[in-house]
C-alpha cells in the first residue's frame, strides 16, 4: 500500500511512521504541515521514546498512526482529559494532546480550560481551520463572522452565534506563570515548529501547561482552490487570529 | 514501595466510603481521579488523607467526564487507577466507560447510587442498575458487582481491580448511599493474607523501548471505517466477554429446595430479603432467598435453576424493575410468575417483606 | 428470641443526636454487638431535623440499614415529634423532651398507642442543674437506661476517650458528664 517515497523531497521527520505515508488527510489540508512541524520538534528534542500522543475525534483522528509513537485516540473533546490522566500516572512521559477547534473550544472546552487552570504539564495542540471538517463543514467556535458553513449558510452572525473564540488569548489570560501559550500558522511552519519546541520544553522542564493553536486550512469544506485557500489563511484568518507567543515562561509575552 | 497500608487483619466500625478508600489502598491502587458528588464524596476525602502517606496520588477533575477519561488515561499507562461517582455523575461516566468497553481498558468505577431520575435525592436508590449494566451506546461489556454492605465493599473493591486487569474489562462496584454513609463492622485485611494476588498491570502505552526503533508503536483506537470492521470488533468483544463470563458470575442463595416462593434482591436490599426469609422460615413458611452478586454478567442459569417449579418469585428492589428486567431476560420461557415489590429511591425493610410474602401465601 | 433493638433519635441540628448515636453505636460495637448506625442525610441535614437510625443486636446480623417500626424513639423537638410519627408502633417506647410546645404535644402518640410513653426533662435539667452542653449526654443516658445495650462503664470509657484533653484540663467536666449520664438513666428508670 505504502508508496515508495525515497526519491521524494523534502525528507520526512525521523519520528514519522513511513508505513502510513502518504497520509490520509485531504489534499491541501493543513494537518500534514502541523504534524510535520511537530515531528521535527520531537526529532530535534530527541524525545520520540518518551512521547505519548493522544488524538481527538474529527480530522485529528487520522493522525492515529502518524508517528512512531504510542498513540491513543479518544472521544470527541476528551483528549486533554485522557492526556492529563496519562501524565498524572506517568509524569516522566511527554504527553501531547492533539485536537481541532470543536474538540478544544466547544465540546471539550472545560477540559482545556481546567487543564490550563491546574497547570497540567501536558502539551495541548489545537488545529484551527474555522469549521468542523470531519462531520462535513459545520460552524465551529472559530468560524469567522460572516463565514458560510453548513450550519451558518448565510454567514456566521455575531448577533446570533457570537464572536469567534480566541483560544490562546483566553488560555494566556488564565494560565499560571511558567505556562507557554502561542498561536502559529501553517503559513509559517518553521515558526510553528519553534512554538512546538518551546511548548514541549515547558512540559519537559516542568514549568507549566503548554498550548499552541495552529491556524490551518480546509479547502474541502471551504470549497476553495489552492490560491483562495491560502488567501483565506493569510487574509481574514490571520486578521482575526493574530499569531505569536501569548505567554512565555519568565517573559510574559504578547502577539506579534 | 512504601509499607503496606494494612499489614494484619483490622476490625473497624466505619462508613462504607472509608471502606472503599482503604480497599483501594490495600489493592495497591496508585491513583484516584474524581469529581465531588454526594454520596460518594468521602471516598475522595479518605483517599486524599491516606494517599500521601502511601505514595499514592489524587486528581480532582472538572467533571465526571474528565474523571472517567483521566482514569482511562492513567490505566492505559499500566497504573492501577480508579474513580468513584453517583447519580448524574454515573450518567456522564457512561462516555468513558464505553471507551473502556471498546478498547478493553481495565477501568474501575465505584458507584454509590442515589435517587433518580435527575438530581432527585442524594440519599439512596438502586436506580443506577440500567446505567451500570447497559448504559452507553454499546452492548454492556462490563462487570458489575452489587455489594450489600461493608465487608462486600472491601472484598469487591479489591476484586474489581483484579477482574478488570485479568480480563481487561471495565468493572463497576455498585454500592449505594446507604452503604456509603452507614457504619457497621468490617474486617480489613492485606489481600495477600487471604491468598489474593493482585493481577499484574501492564502498560498499553509508554512501554520500554523507542517505538518504531526497538518495538512497534502501539495505536489504540475506538473508531472504525466500515460496518464489517465494526462487526468483527464487537463480535470479538462478545467472544471475549463470553469466555470469562462463567468465571466471574457470583450469586448467593439459601432455603431454595423446598421453597414455594423465592425472594430475589440485590445489593443492600438483599439483606432485608435474607432477614425476611429467615424470619418467615422460623414461622414455618416455605420461602427461599436468591441474590445476584454480579448484575453483569447476570447469574441467569443459576436463578433459573433456583426458581424452577416454584409457585412464585418475588423481585424486590429500590427501583422500578431495573433488576427485574435482568431477571426476566434470564428466565425467558419459564412460566413461574414474578411478583414485584418496587420502592424506587427508598429503602426496603425485612418487616415489610415478611408481610408481603405472608400476603402472597394466603 | 432476637434482642434486636431499633432505635431512632431525632432532634434539631446542634442537639447532638448524631454524636449520641455515634458514641452508643461505637461502644456497642466494641462490646461485641452487631451494630448498624446510619444518619439521615441529604438536603435535610441543612436546617432540617437530624435523625439517627441505630440497630443493635447480640447475635443476628443487621438487615436493612433503615427500618419502618422503631422499638425506641427519642424525639427532642417539635419538628422531631412530627418527623418520627411514621415509625411509631404499639411496641414502641417513646421518649420526648418536656421542652416541646403544647402544639407538638398534640402530635405525640396516645398512651395506649405505644408500649410506654416517657416524658423526660433533659433540657431543663441541663439548663438549670448542669450545663447546656451535656444535654446530649443526658439523652445518651436515657437511651442507655432503656436498652442497657452496654454497661455504663463502657460509655464512660467512650466519653473519657472522646474528651480526654478537656477532662484533663478540667476534671469537673468529667464529673458533670458522668452525672449527666446517670441522670439520663434515672429519668427513664
Amino acid at each position: 500500500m505504502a508508496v515508495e517515497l525515497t526519491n521524494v523531497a523534502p525528507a520526512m521527520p525521523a519520528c514519522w511512521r513511513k508505513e502510513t505515508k502518504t497520509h490520509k488527510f485531504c489534499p491541501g489540508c493543513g494537518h500534514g504541515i502541523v504534524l510535520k512541524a511537530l515531528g521535527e520538534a520531537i526529532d530535534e528534542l530527541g524525545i520520540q521514546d518518551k512521547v505519548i500522543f493522544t488524538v481527538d475525534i474529527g480530522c485529528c483522528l487520522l493522525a492515529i498512526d502518524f508517528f512512531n509513537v504510542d498513540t491513543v485516540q479518544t472521544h470527541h473533546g476528551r483528549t486533554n482529559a485522557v492526556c492529563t490522566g496519562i501524565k498524572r500516572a506517568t509524569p516522566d512521559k511527554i504527553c501531547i494532546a492533539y485536537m481541532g477547534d470543536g474538540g478544544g473550544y466547544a465540546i471539550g472546552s472545560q477540559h482545556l480550560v481546567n487543564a490550563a487552570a491546574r497547570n497540567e504539564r501536558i502539551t495541548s495542540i489545537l488545529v484551527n481551520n474555522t469549521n468542523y471538517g470531519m462531520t462535513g463543514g459545520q460552524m465551529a467556535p472559530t468560524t469567522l463572522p460572516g463565514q458560510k458553513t453548513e450550519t451558518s449558510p448565510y454567514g456566521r452572525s455575531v448577533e446570533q452565534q457570537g464572536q469567534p473564540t480566541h483560544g490562546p488569548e483566553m488560555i494566556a489570560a488564565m494560565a499560571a506563570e511558567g505556562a507557554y501559550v502561542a498561536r502559529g500558522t501553517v503559513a509559517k511552519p518553521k515558526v510553528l515548529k519553534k512554538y512546538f519546541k518551546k511548548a514541549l520544553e515547558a512540559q519537559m522542564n516542568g514549568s507549566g501547561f503548554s498550548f499552541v493553536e495552529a491556524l490551518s486550512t480546509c479547502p474541502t469544506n471551504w470549497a476553495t482552490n489552492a490560491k483562495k485557500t491560502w488567501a483565506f489563511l493569510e487574509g481574514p484568518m490571520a486578521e482575526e487570529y493574530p499569531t505569536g507567543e501569548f505567554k512565555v515562561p519568565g517573559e510574559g509575552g504578547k502577539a506579534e | 514501595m512504601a509499607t503496606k497500608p494494612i499489614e494484619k487483619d483490622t476490625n473497624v466500625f466505619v462508613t462504607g466510603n472509608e471502606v472503599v478508600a482503604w480497599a483501594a489502598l490495600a489493592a495497591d491502587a496508585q491513583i484516584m481521579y474524581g469529581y465531588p458528588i454526594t454520596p460518594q464524596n468521602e471516598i475522595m476525602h479518605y483517599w486524599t488523607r491516606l494517599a500521601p502517606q502511601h505514595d499514592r496520588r489524587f486528581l480532582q477533575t472538572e467533571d465526571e467526564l474528565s474523571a472517567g477519561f483521566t482514569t482511562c488515561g492513567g490505566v492505559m499507562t499500566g497504573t492501577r487507577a480508579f474513580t468513584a461517582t453517583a447519580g448524574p455523575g454515573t450518567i456522564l461516566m457512561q462516555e468513558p466507560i464505553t471507551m473502556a468497553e471498546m478498547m478493553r481498558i481495565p477501568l474501575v468505577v465505584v458507584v454509590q447510587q442515589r435517587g433518580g431520575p435527575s438530581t432527585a435525592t442524594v440519599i439512596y436508590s438502586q436506580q443506577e442498575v440500567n446505567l451500570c449494566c447497559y448504559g452507553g451506546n454499546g452492548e454492556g461489556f462490563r462487570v458489575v458487582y452489587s455489594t450489600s454492605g461493608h465487608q462486600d465493599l472491601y472484598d469487591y473493591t479489591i476484586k474489581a481491580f483484579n477482574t478488570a486487569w485479568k480480563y481487561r474489562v471495565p468493572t463497576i462496584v455498585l454500592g449505594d448511599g446507604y452503604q456509603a454513609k452507614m457504619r457497621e463492622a468490617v474486617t480489613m485485611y492485606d489481600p495477600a493474607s487471604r491468598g489474593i494476588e493482585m493481577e499484574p498491570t501492564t502498560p498499553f502505552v509508554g512501554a520500554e523501548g523507542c517505538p518504531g526503533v526497538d518495538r512497534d508503536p502501539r495505536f489504540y483506537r475506538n473508531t472504525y471505517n466500515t460496518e464489517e470492521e465494526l462487526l468483527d470488533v464487537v463480535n470479538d468483544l462478545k467472544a471475549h466477554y463470553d469466555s470469562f463470563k462463567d468465571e466471574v458470575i457470583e450469586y448467593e442463595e439459601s432455603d431454595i429446595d423446598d421453597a414455594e416462593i423465592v425472594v430475589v434482591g440485590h445489593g443492600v436490599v438483599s439483606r432485608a430479603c435474607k432477614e425476611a426469609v429467615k424470619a418467615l422460615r422460623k414461622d414455618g413458611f416455605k420461602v427461599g432467598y436468591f441474590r445476584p452478586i454480579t448484575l453483569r454478567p447476570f447469574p441467569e442459569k443459576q436463578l433459573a435453576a433456583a426458581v424452577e417449579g416454584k409457585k412464585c418469585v418475588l423481585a424486590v428492589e429500590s427501583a422500578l424493575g431495573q433488576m427485574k428486567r435482568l431477571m426476566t431476560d434470564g428466565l425467558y420461557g419459564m412460566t413461574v410468575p414474578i411478583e414485584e415489590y418496587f420502592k424506587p429511591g427508598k429503602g426496603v425493610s425485612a418487616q415489610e417483606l415478611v408481610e408481603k410474602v405472608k400476603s402472597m401465601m394466603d | 428470641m432476637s434482642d434486636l433493638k431499633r432505635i431512632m433519635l431525632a432532634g434539631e441540628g446542634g442537639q447532638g443526636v448524631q454524636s449520641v448515636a455515634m458514641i452508643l453505636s461505637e461502644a456497642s460495637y466494641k462490646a461485641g454487638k452487631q451494630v448498624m448506625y446510619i444518619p439521615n442525610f441529604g438536603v435535610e441535614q441543612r436546617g432540617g431535623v437530624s435523625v439517627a437510625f441505630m440497630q443493635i443486636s447480640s447475635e443476628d446480623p443487621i438487615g436493612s440499614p433503615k427500618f419502618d417500626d422503631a422499638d425506641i424513639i427519642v424525639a427532642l423537638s417539635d419538628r422531631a415529634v412530627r418527623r418520627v410519627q411514621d415509625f411509631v408502633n404499639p411496641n414502641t417506647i417513646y421518649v420526648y423532651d418536656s421542652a416541646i410546645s403544647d402544639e407538638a404535644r398534640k402530635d405525640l402518640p396516645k398512651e395506649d398507642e405505644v408500649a410506654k410513653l416517657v416524658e423526660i426533662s433533659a433540657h431543663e435539667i441541663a439548663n438549670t442543674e448542669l450545663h447546656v452542653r451535656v444535654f446530649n449526654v443526658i439523652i445518651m443516658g436515657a437511651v442507655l437506661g432503656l436498652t442497657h445495650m452496654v454497661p455504663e462503664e463502657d460509655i464512660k470509657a467512650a466519653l473519657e476517650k472522646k474528651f480526654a484533653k478537656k477532662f484533663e484540663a478540667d476534671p469537673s467536666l468529667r464529673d458533670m458528664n458522668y452525672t449527666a449520664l446517670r441522670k439520663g438513666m434515672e429519668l427513664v428508670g
Side-chain angles (χ1 to χ4, degrees):
Chain A
M1 287 275 283
V3 179
E4 183 55 51
L5 292 169
T6 45
N7 55 357
V8 178
M12 285 184 265
C15 65
W16 272 24
R17 185 161 179 80
K18 296 180 179 54
E19 294 87 328
T20 57
K21 306 296 174 294
T22 56
H23 60 63
K24 310 178 191 89
F25 296 103
C26 300
C29 170
H31 270 289
I33 300 172
V34 177
L35 292 167
K36 185 173 181 192
L38 179 60
E40 286 169 352
I42 291 170
D43 285 356
E44 288 175 24
L45 293 167
I47 55 174
Q48 184 185 345
D49 59 335
K50 289 198 185 69
V51 168
I52 294 175
F53 195 47
T54 55
V55 299
D56 214 84
I57 292 298
C59 299
C60 296
L61 93 87
L62 300 178
I64 171 77
D65 53 3
F66 206 92
F67 297 109
N68 270 328
V69 152
D70 290 349
T71 305
V72 181
Q73 173 245 312
T74 78
H75 284 193
H76 192 28
R78 313 300 168 218
T79 305
N80 279 313
V82 172
C83 193
T84 294
I86 292 171
K87 183 70 180 186
R88 288 277 178 158
T90 48
D92 56 324
K93 299 295 180 192
I94 298 163
C95 303
I96 304 172
Y98 190 65
M99 73 213 70
D101 33 32
Y105 297 152
I107 192 170
S109 56
Q110 77 272 40
H111 307 310
L112 173 63
V113 165
N114 284 284
R118 291 191 304 260
N119 211 16
E120 295 291 347
R121 270 58 166 185
I122 62 171
T123 299
S124 190
I125 296 171
L126 185 146
V127 178
N128 173 357
N129 62 6
T130 74
N131 80 112
Y132 285 83
M134 182 65 93
T135 47
Q138 294 84 7
M139 187 182 71
T142 48
T143 297
L144 302 187
Q147 187 181 346
K148 287 178 180 170
T149 69
E150 290 296 333
T151 52
S152 59
Y154 303 105
R156 178 177 187 157
S157 148
V158 170
E159 171 64 25
Q160 292 292 315
Q161 286 117 3
Q163 294 283 350
T165 299
H166 287 230
E169 289 85 343
M170 169 177 76
I171 299 301
M174 64 177 297
E177 173 53 40
Y180 179 82
V181 182
R183 179 187 285 120
T185 168
V186 295
K188 294 178 185 168
K190 281 190 180 154
V191 179
L192 188 59
K193 180 187 75 179
K194 184 183 84 181
Y195 292 167
F196 286 155
K197 276 178 80 175
K198 288 174 88 167
L200 288 164
E201 278 164 352
Q203 177 178 177
M204 290 156 68
N205 63 31
S207 77
F209 180 65
S210 48
F211 179 64
V212 180
E213 180 187 293
L215 300 181
S216 183
T217 52
C218 184
T220 301
N221 288 304
W222 293 353
T224 46
N225 61 21
K227 200 176 163 188
K228 283 182 175 166
T229 300
W230 218 248
F232 189 69
L233 173 71
E234 297 213 280
M237 274 184 84
E239 251 167 64
E240 178 72 33
Y241 298 117
T243 53
E245 294 177 315
F246 291 80
K247 205 169 184 85
V248 178
E251 284 178 27
K254 58 177 171 37
E256 282 166 0
Chain B
M1 206 186 75
T3 54
K4 284 184 174 180
I6 294 171
E7 300 272 3
K8 55 177 197 248
D9 286 16
T10 312
N11 297 311
V12 287
F13 183 71
V14 293
T15 65
N17 281 337
E18 184 169 357
V19 172
V20 170
W22 277 105
L25 273 182
D28 205 26
Q30 295 298 311
I31 185 165
M32 176 185 186
Y33 304 84
Y35 183 79
I37 188 165
T38 310
Q40 71 79 24
N41 293 313
E42 295 83 2
I43 298 176
M44 299 188 300
H45 299 179
Y46 286 106
W47 180 265
T48 49
R49 278 155 186 74
L50 296 166
Q53 301 165 24
H54 301 280
D55 291 333
R56 316 295 173 89
R57 279 161 286 164
F58 175 74
L59 175 65
Q60 183 165 327
T61 59
E62 56 274 20
D63 57 23
E64 289 87 352
L65 290 167
S66 183
F69 279 106
T70 49
T71 310
C72 284
V75 166
M76 292 186 86
T77 67
T79 304
R80 211 175 274 112
F82 76 110
T83 186
T85 191
T90 313
I91 302 175
L92 294 187
M93 201 56 76
Q94 295 311 309
E95 198 193 322
I97 294 173
T98 60
M99 184 168 104
E101 284 180 76
M102 182 60 127
M103 295 159 86
R104 289 185 49 200
I105 300 169
L107 178 69
V108 170
V109 184
V110 179
V111 173
Q112 302 285 36
Q113 299 167 95
R114 53 185 269 169
S118 184
T119 312
T121 72
V122 299
I123 303 169
Y124 161 83
S125 85
Q126 295 189 313
Q127 295 170 290
E128 293 168 45
V129 169
N130 287 349
L131 272 180
C132 288
C133 292
Y134 287 105
N137 60 336
E139 308 296 342
F141 295 127
R142 316 143 175 215
V143 172
V144 180
Y145 292 112
S146 176
T147 61
S148 69
H150 289 9
Q151 201 59 55
D152 274 358
L153 280 174
Y154 193 82
D155 296 347
Y156 285 100
T157 299
I158 292 169
K159 189 176 268 185
F161 286 103
N162 275 349
T163 300
W165 283 95
K166 181 171 182 187
Y167 304 111
R168 280 191 35 188
V169 62
T171 303
I172 295 167
V173 178
L174 183 62
D176 57 63
Y178 281 178
Q179 295 180 68
K181 299 279 186 174
M182 71 195 193
R183 284 174 193 268
E184 67 173 347
V186 58
T187 304
M188 307 200 292
Y189 51 83
D190 171 18
S193 72
R194 298 289 193 277
I196 300 168
E197 265 181 55
M198 294 315 295
E199 283 291 324
T201 61
T202 47
F204 291 56
V205 292
E208 284 294 297
C210 185
V213 179
D214 309 315
R215 63 173 174 88
D216 284 336
R218 298 218 178 140
F219 304 129
Y220 294 94
R221 60 176 179 154
N222 51 61
T223 311
Y224 298 90
N225 288 320
T226 67
E227 294 162 61
E228 290 75 13
E229 223 179 339
L230 175 66
L231 179 65
D232 287 346
V233 169
V234 177
N235 280 339
D236 283 352
L237 288 172
K238 183 185 184 305
H240 169 68
Y241 193 84
D242 288 345
S243 73
F244 67 75
K245 213 165 140 177
D246 289 337
E247 290 170 44
V248 166
I249 283 175
E250 289 189 42
Y251 66 100
E252 192 180 83
E253 63 181 12
S254 75
D255 303 282
I256 293 293
D257 288 352
D258 65 341
E260 292 169 7
I261 292 177
V262 177
V263 181
V264 182
H266 76 94
V268 81
V269 167
S270 71
R271 296 165 70 130
C273 297
K274 201 178 200 173
E275 195 188 340
V277 167
K278 200 173 156 193
L280 286 159
R281 278 279 166 184
K282 266 186 195 158
D283 290 346
F285 292 96
K286 291 184 173 169
V287 186
Y289 158 80
F290 189 94
R291 170 199 170 199
I293 296 173
T294 48
L295 298 184
R296 185 84 183 111
F298 194 80
E300 296 179 341
K301 281 183 236 158
Q302 293 81 354
L303 177 64
V307 304
E308 171 85 61
K310 306 300 183 197
K311 242 194 221 163
C312 190
V313 179
L314 179 63
V316 187
E317 56 184 310
S318 296
L320 279 178
Q322 300 198 19
M323 174 194 71
K324 191 201 160 193
R325 236 166 274 150
L326 301 171
M327 291 168 59
T328 44
D329 264 6
L331 301 182
Y332 181 75
M334 293 178 79
T335 52
V336 57
I338 304 179
E339 179 96 10
E340 300 167 350
Y341 196 85
F342 298 159
K343 288 266 191 98
K346 188 166 185 322
V348 176
S349 74
Q351 210 175 339
E352 58 191 303
L353 291 181
V354 167
E355 281 156 28
K356 172 73 187 167
V357 172
K358 280 183 179 168
S359 76
M360 291 165 66
M361 289 281 192
D362 287 343
Chain C
M1 179 73 184
S2 166
D3 67 345
L4 175 68
K5 286 273 180 292
R6 299 184 160 117
I7 304 162
M8 182 181 193
L9 308 178
E12 296 299 310
Q15 285 187 314
V17 160
Q18 303 304 341
S19 50
V20 169
M22 188 65 211
I23 289 177
L24 285 173
S25 57
E26 211 156 27
S28 305
Y29 160 74
K30 279 187 186 144
K33 307 269 188 183
Q34 299 282 339
V35 188
M36 164 79 73
Y37 157 46
I38 186 165
N40 79 299
F41 59 99
V43 280
E44 254 194 43
Q45 73 183 2
R46 313 264 183 248
V49 178
S50 179
V51 183
F53 296 89
M54 293 167 65
Q55 297 178 74
I56 295 163
S57 149
S58 296
E59 291 160 26
D60 298 333
I62 311 292
S64 188
K66 289 189 183 169
F67 42 81
D68 300 331
D69 289 349
D71 300 310
I72 293 168
I73 289 176
V74 180
L76 300 175
S77 72
D78 289 11
R79 295 198 301 171
V81 167
R82 282 167 211 130
R83 178 74 171 81
V84 301
Q85 273 173 336
D86 289 349
F87 297 82
V88 176
N89 72 93
N91 300 316
T92 303
I93 298 173
Y94 191 108
V95 181
Y96 64 97
D97 191 85
S98 59
I100 62 168
S101 71
D102 291 345
E103 201 56 36
R105 280 172 193 270
K106 290 180 193 158
D107 295 324
L108 289 173
K110 306 278 169 288
E111 295 249 19
D112 59 355
E113 287 170 355
V114 290
K116 203 173 165 189
L117 190 62
V118 191
E119 181 179 88
I120 59 169
S121 46
H123 191 78
E124 194 189 319
I125 291 170
N127 277 294
T128 57
E129 296 176 30
L130 298 165
H131 190 282
V132 63
R133 269 159 55 194
V134 293
F135 169 75
N136 60 355
V137 183
I138 300 177
I139 300 305
M140 208 181 311
V143 178
L144 188 62
L146 290 169
T147 57
H148 301 287
M149 55 174 79
V150 286
E152 188 182 345
E153 294 314 309
D154 288 12
I155 300 297
K156 285 184 178 172
L159 288 170
E160 199 70 41
K161 200 179 153 203
K162 193 172 159 86
F163 300 117
K165 278 187 190 152
K166 287 182 181 167
F167 286 0
E168 206 176 307
D170 181 1
S172 74
L173 278 180
R174 176 185 290 118
D175 294 339
M176 197 201 288
N177 272 274
Y178 287 3
T179 310
L181 189 68
R182 185 113 285 274
K183 278 271 182 200
M185 294 176 75
E186 285 163 7
L187 284 175
V188 297

